[in-house]
Amino acid sequence: MNKLFACAIAVSCVLSLSGYACGQDILVNPQNQKYLFTAGTDETQAFLYNPAYLGLYSRGSVLDAYYFYPSTGQLNPSKQTFYDFGAFLQGGKFGVSFRNAATSSEDLNQYSIGLGLGDSRFAAGVSLSMTNITGLGSRWFPGVGIIWRPNPFVSFGAAYHNFSERAFGLHPIEEATNFGVSVRPLGTPFLTLNADLSSPIHGDGYKLGINVEPLPGLGFFAIYDRSGYGIEVSRVVPNSNPGYIGPSTLWGNSLSIGVSMNLGSHVHAEGASSYQSRAYAATYGRVVFTSQDMSTILLGHRVAEITIRGNLQDAKEQSFFFLKANKPLLEYIEEIKKCGDDLSIAALILKIYPFSTSDKFFSLSGETQELADAVRYVRDKGKKVYAYLMDDSGVDELYLASAADEIYMAPVAFISGYGVNMDLIRMKGLFDKLHISWNAQTAGKFKSTFHTIYTDSATPEQAKLIQGLADDIYTQMLKQIEVSRGITLPDSVKSAVSGILSSEDAAAVHVIDGAEYYDEFKKDVDKDLYGLASASGAIDPANLHRYESAWGKEPEIAVIGVYGSIVTGPSSAPGPFPIPFLGSGRTSGSETVAAQINAAASNSDIKAIVLRVNSGGGSALASDQIYRALTEAASKKPVVASFGNVAASGGYYVAAGAKRIFAEPASVTGSIGVVIFFPVLTDFLEKDLGTNVEQYRAGENSDLLSPFHRWNDQDLKYIDAFLNQTYMDFKEKVAAGRKLALERVEELAQGKVYTGDQAKSLNLVDEFGGLDKAIQYAARSAGVSGEYQIKMFTVPGIGFGDYLGLGIDILQIISDWKLYD
């Protein structure tokens, strides 16, 4: 009779704690769930509480374990043996777990699996658990859940558990539905407010919580739980006869207070004390090991190593069959800056092989300056940066290395050509010998400065402009070494380094810090950092994946590129192989770029657009089509331009309407003008090939753009009128976009070319900085203050069909040459 009475009291005292096994005796119910919320917990251990948590993020590999122990004075006055341990594994969006809980008389084992689908905005999941209690057999318990996070500020969740209400011996199992809402008032993990409601409801039936993370990786939390009875079973059931319900006191109203900390980039620990009736009731502890990179307040001693080599692509391109696409420049920059932000990284090593950047105009490229900016960012964060020149080095390699704290290179290596050398091969004489003349006309007396194909020499004004560009770039190169190295280079050293300078001689004049082999260098780095020459290994920042904690889908900043020649129609990527005469260079087609801009402008997830320009121009029509798409997008969201190595002529045209233009000092820009040119082939065909060109026409000027007609004075009037109209349209767009008087634009135009340093002083660009800085500005302009994703629109790939079906039309090629901005 006493046993039946005890059973009745135990059943009536069962409470849902928004958990998996909702009967509230602390043997059956996983006690970690007391510290979880239906909508506001993002951790692996929560997937039995709400299976949708598995669908929110791809967590990589995670081991998440907890331990719970009740106080003998409150939850366990009968002083039984009791503990609750659980371990959870997650791989991607799949989870498994094992739980073991025991009293003096019962032992429980639980095996669970879970699967989630979705993203950080909306996720759903299912779980299935097999629970076994010694002497009572096994039960299967399913669970389903959803989470909706429409924005970074709020999260809604619901979970449904225990479709069957079959009792488990004397342990009642209730069907339960949990509803939760969590709020982040600032849209960041700094402050999170949680609330849960459970059904069936016993007593008040709710739970409230607050999490505060004043520093990334350090948090405090408190939970007030009123979902229990508040009735001690020990008042009814004598402590000497607890039956099968486990410890003789069930959870009543309670308060839990805890602290959490990331003990490193891959280890998290937390602990909490729970109080019931103002007395200590239980201890909870948890530890997490993850393959992803977490923020930590603990300073680490890891050394990161990044290798720079090969052709650094500005554009993000698609892979081609077995050929992996090159890593884009922005990824290198992000990896370098990650070393500055990660507190567990103490230093960065740059292994610099010979490298090149896309569409480089001078020996020093603006994109190399972007890399150097990222290195300075790491140094500004208090991290030490070491550079090791792995091979014979030139301008880009030494310039980048000079941004580091210390530079070393191999004893037998050398530095060469640290200067500016530009050889312009004027080809008019060659074409004269081939009896090929050119119809060529410009709007702007400097527009033909670098058009060497139809000129035999630069004018005195053009020669002065070219020399001014070279002098400005050379000044930037010398300033980089002198300021970064804290030295003044005498003329003798400038002369030597512009020729050939051995590593020993470079060290002697302090251009580098030392000449030693790489293994010796690594030992010196370790000795410098740790006081021990151990030549330890280094981590690759590319393998550090962020442990996500943002709610909702992070806002996106679009990066859309204008690379290579600007043409009408679709874009094309470089061919996978350098096959001669098959046009393996990249082009930016107005049709493709405009479609990408329009797609970004209409996508609500994309908050701002950055136009990345690395182009010397091309078709005036194509440039205008891209410009129009960009100005229309600017009426919907912020549009910012970033200049790479070259953004001249049509490359400047397309960006003229941007809210702000960023360029590096060595970027080449300007060339505001128009040119039309194409060859006249009549003499070549007749005198060299022995052909005869017969011409038939209807229409007085129908042969104006024919490669078999040489312009006369009357033709030049038509051409000049057309060029000046196009030129005026170009200048008006620049004047409107840059907020300059048309007369001032005329002074800056004329086809003059500028370095980024010169252009900034003339208000043709707004700010020094690379793509990374432009993206940050665009995000701020869009009101994005937290984390965001960068969406890079790729250059379409190229397949074998483009080659197998290729037909080369010389007349089409000639027509594409005709009119350039």
Side-chain angles (χ1 to χ4, degrees):
M1 188 68 180
N2 288 338
K3 287 186 177 180
L4 291 176
F5 182 70
C7 179
I9 293 297
V11 171
S12 67
C13 291
V14 173
L15 167 69
S16 169
L17 181 59
S18 303
Y20 161 73
C22 295
Q24 267 306 287
D25 70 66
I26 60 178
L27 175 69
V28 172
N29 195 57
Q31 289 305 297
N32 69 313
Q33 295 185 356
K34 183 175 182 63
Y35 307 93
L36 306 176
F37 286 88
T38 307
T41 308
D42 296 333
E43 311 301 342
T44 299
Q45 69 155 338
F47 85 77
L48 294 183
Y49 191 65
N50 187 344
Y53 283 122
L54 289 173
L56 287 173
Y57 310 106
S58 293
R59 286 295 190 201
S61 300
V62 181
L63 170 62
D64 191 340
Y66 76 88
Y67 184 83
F68 173 86
Y69 185 78
S71 164
T72 56
Q74 283 290 315
L75 289 181
N76 191 13
S78 60
K79 299 181 181 180
Q80 296 187 74
T81 299
F82 184 87
Y83 65 85
D84 186 345
F85 166 80
F88 302 79
L89 290 173
Q90 181 175 357
K93 298 192 176 185
F94 178 76
V96 297
S97 72
F98 168 74
R99 174 181 176 244
N100 175 244
T103 70
S104 297
S105 56
E106 293 182 306
D107 188 77
L108 178 146
N109 291 305
Q110 183 182 70
Y111 307 88
S112 307
I113 60 173
L115 176 66
L117 298 172
D119 55 28
S120 56
R121 177 180 292 175
F122 180 83
V126 296
S127 66
L128 183 64
S129 298
M130 190 278 286
T131 303
N132 176 273
I133 299 180
T134 305
L136 298 179
S138 301
R139 296 284 190 276
W140 289 92
F141 301 116
V144 296
I146 59 171
I147 293 177
W148 178 44
R149 292 175 171 173
N151 54 55
F153 304 98
V154 65
S155 176
F156 301 98
Y160 181 39
H161 297 282
N162 310 328
F163 306 163
S164 170
E165 295 184 333
R166 292 179 58 196
F168 208 152
L170 293 179
H171 301 281
I173 304 299
E174 293 186 308
E175 181 180 13
T177 304
N178 312 325
F179 299 96
V181 59
S182 297
V183 177
R184 285 180 171 173
L186 304 178
T188 71
F190 177 82
L191 176 62
T192 305
L193 306 175
N194 301 294
D196 265 14
L197 180 68
S198 60
S199 175
I201 298 175
H202 300 286
D204 296 307
Y206 67 86
K207 181 170 55 173
L208 304 174
I210 181 172
N211 291 68
V212 180
E213 190 174 339
L215 295 173
L218 174 65
F220 303 92
F221 59 92
I223 300 169
Y224 180 57
D225 186 358
R226 290 185 61 108
S227 60
Y229 276 116
I231 300 175
E232 293 186 1
V233 179
S234 58
R235 295 175 182 172
V236 181
V237 182
N239 292 340
S240 61
N241 184 21
Y244 292 96
I245 63 171
S248 58
T249 303
L250 301 186
W251 275 113
N253 301 333
S254 64
L255 174 67
S256 300
I257 300 174
V259 61
S260 65
M261 180 182 295
N262 296 338
L263 301 179
S265 295
H266 302 286
V267 182
H268 170 87
E270 66 183 50
S273 294
S274 297
Y275 300 86
Q276 183 172 293
S277 301
R278 299 182 180 179
Y280 167 68
T283 297
Y284 164 77
R286 174 174 172 241
V287 63
V288 179
F289 301 92
T290 174
S291 62
Q292 295 180 325
D293 211 48
M294 298 186 296
S295 299
T296 175
I297 64 170
L298 301 179
L299 296 178
H301 297 283
R302 297 192 296 178
V303 177
E305 185 175 271
I306 297 176
T307 299
I308 309 291
R309 73 190 312 167
N311 183 22
L312 309 187
Q313 292 291 330
D314 195 12
K316 182 176 182 179
E317 297 172 352
Q318 297 173 347
S319 297
F320 178 78
F321 288 97
F322 56 87
L323 298 177
K324 185 178 180 181
N326 291 321
K327 184 189 298 185
L329 176 72
L330 184 60
E331 287 189 22
Y332 281 104
I333 293 172
E334 289 177 336
E335 289 170 12
I336 292 172
K337 293 187 67 175
K338 188 185 297 183
C339 298
D341 295 329
D342 191 330
L343 294 180
S344 71
I345 294 177
L348 167 64
I349 294 173
L350 289 176
K351 293 174 63 176
I352 304 174
Y353 288 89
F355 69 91
S356 62
T357 58
S358 302
D359 301 313
K360 185 166 69 171
F361 197 81
F362 291 108
S363 52
L364 171 64
S365 71
E367 292 177 358
T368 298
Q369 291 181 326
E370 292 187 55
L371 291 170
D373 289 343
V375 173
R376 282 188 284 271
Y377 176 86
V378 177
R379 293 181 63 182
D380 290 342
K381 291 286 186 175
K383 311 294 181 67
K384 195 162 185 179
V385 181
Y386 303 86
Y388 190 89
L389 297 169
M390 300 293 295
D391 204 337
D392 301 330
S393 301
V395 174
D396 282 332
E397 295 77 24
L398 180 57
Y399 188 97
L400 176 58
S402 296
D405 293 279
E406 297 182 15
I407 310 171
Y408 295 85
M409 65 188 305
V412 296
F414 61 84
I415 299 169
S416 64
Y418 198 78
V420 178
N421 180 46
M422 177 179 289
D423 298 312
L424 298 178
I425 303 175
R426 303 284 178 175
M427 301 181 67
K428 183 177 182 300
L430 170 64
F431 285 106
D432 286 345
K433 291 183 178 181
L434 296 173
H435 301 101
I436 297 175
S437 59
W438 290 83
N439 283 334
Q441 194 73 351
T442 66
K445 62 181 180 181
F446 289 91
K447 189 60 183 177
S448 64
T449 302
F450 294 100
H451 286 258
T452 59
I453 197 168
Y454 60 86
T455 58
D456 54 6
S457 66
T459 67
E461 294 87 353
Q462 291 173 344
K464 182 178 179 181
L465 181 145
I466 296 171
Q467 187 60 53
L469 295 173
D471 291 342
D472 187 66
I473 294 295
Y474 187 53
T475 298
Q476 294 179 35
M477 292 165 54
L478 296 179
K479 181 181 178 180
Q480 168 70 8
I481 293 180
E482 292 184 332
V483 172
S484 297
R485 305 288 298 159
I487 61 177
T488 299
L489 296 176
D491 290 341
S492 59
V493 175
K494 296 176 184 177
S495 176
V497 78
S498 66
I500 299 178
L501 188 66
S502 69
S503 56
E504 289 83 0
D505 290 340
V509 296
H510 306 294
V511 171
I512 66 173
D513 292 282
E516 56 187 29
Y517 294 103
Y518 187 69
D519 60 332
E520 297 172 330
F521 159 74
K522 284 294 294 295
K523 290 178 180 179
D524 287 344
V525 170
D526 285 350
K527 188 174 182 180
D528 187 21
L529 295 175
Y530 314 127
L532 178 66
S534 60
S536 61
I539 62 171
D540 182 356
N543 297 327
L544 300 179
H545 301 289
R546 180 166 60 98
Y547 194 88
E548 295 183 79
S549 60
W551 285 1
K553 188 174 182 181
E554 292 180 344
E556 296 178 336
I557 307 300
V559 176
I560 299 172
V562 176
Y563 309 113
S565 181
I566 301 173
V567 299
T568 55
S571 299
S572 66
F577 308 106
I579 303 175
F581 309 114
L582 291 187
S584 60
R586 78 179 88 187
T587 65
S588 288
S590 57
E591 180 180 312
T592 300
V593 177
Q596 291 175 340
I597 293 172
N598 293 335
S602 60
N603 188 334
S604 60
D605 292 332
I606 294 175
K607 306 305 180 184
I609 299 172
V610 176
L611 188 74
R612 174 65 169 189
V613 183
N614 213 353
S615 169
S619 163
L621 173 59
S623 299
D624 188 65
Q625 290 171 339
I626 295 173
Y627 169 86
R628 179 175 180 271
L630 202 71
T631 52
E632 289 182 346
S635 65
K636 301 177 182 178
K637 56 191 63 175
V639 173
V640 176
S642 168
F643 290 171
N645 292 333
V646 180
S649 194
Y652 191 86
Y653 190 129
V654 297
K659 178 178 181 179
R660 197 164 187 84
I661 297 177
F662 289 80
E664 289 290 353
S667 300
V668 175
T669 188
S671 192
I672 301 169
V674 186
V675 60
I676 184 170
F677 65 97
F678 59 92
V680 180
L681 303 176
T682 306
D683 289 345
F684 169 70
L685 294 175
E686 292 180 350
K687 296 180 180 179
D688 293 327
L689 299 184
T691 63
N692 182 39
V693 179
E694 294 183 351
Q695 292 182 293
Y696 304 92
R697 68 178 185 178
E700 182 179 357
N701 297 306
S702 60
D703 60 352
L704 191 65
L705 301 179
S706 168
F708 307 112
H709 171 72
R710 186 175 290 107
W711 287 339
N712 54 39
D713 292 342
Q714 185 63 30
D715 296 329
L716 289 175
K717 292 181 180 180
Y718 284 101
I719 297 300
D720 284 339
F722 174 70
L723 287 182
N724 287 329
Q725 181 181 5
T726 305
Y727 181 40
M728 178 59 69
D729 185 60
F730 192 169
K731 290 186 292 183
E732 288 175 345
K733 287 182 168 64
V734 172
R738 302 305 302 163
K739 296 180 174 56
L740 296 171
L742 191 60
E743 295 77 10
R744 177 57 176 162
V745 173
E746 175 61 22
E747 294 175 6
L748 300 175
Q750 295 290 327
K752 295 177 184 176
V753 177
Y754 305 98
T755 65
D757 187 45
Q758 295 168 337
K760 184 175 181 296
S761 66
L762 299 172
N763 199 32
L764 290 176
V765 302
D766 297 291
E767 193 169 339
F768 290 143
L771 178 57
D772 177 68
K773 193 171 183 179
I775 291 171
Q776 293 177 42
Y777 178 86
R780 291 194 304 271
S781 298
V784 178
S785 58
E787 298 288 341
Y788 55 84
Q789 296 288 332
I790 300 171
K791 181 177 178 61
M792 295 192 72
F793 285 76
T794 60
V795 176
I798 190 168
F800 284 121
D802 295 297
Y803 288 127
L804 298 179
L806 185 66
I808 300 179
D809 186 340
I810 187 65
L811 295 181
Q812 180 62 45
I813 293 175
I814 291 171
S815 70
D816 287 343
W817 278 348
K818 287 178 183 175
L819 180 61
Y820 280 77
D821 276 336

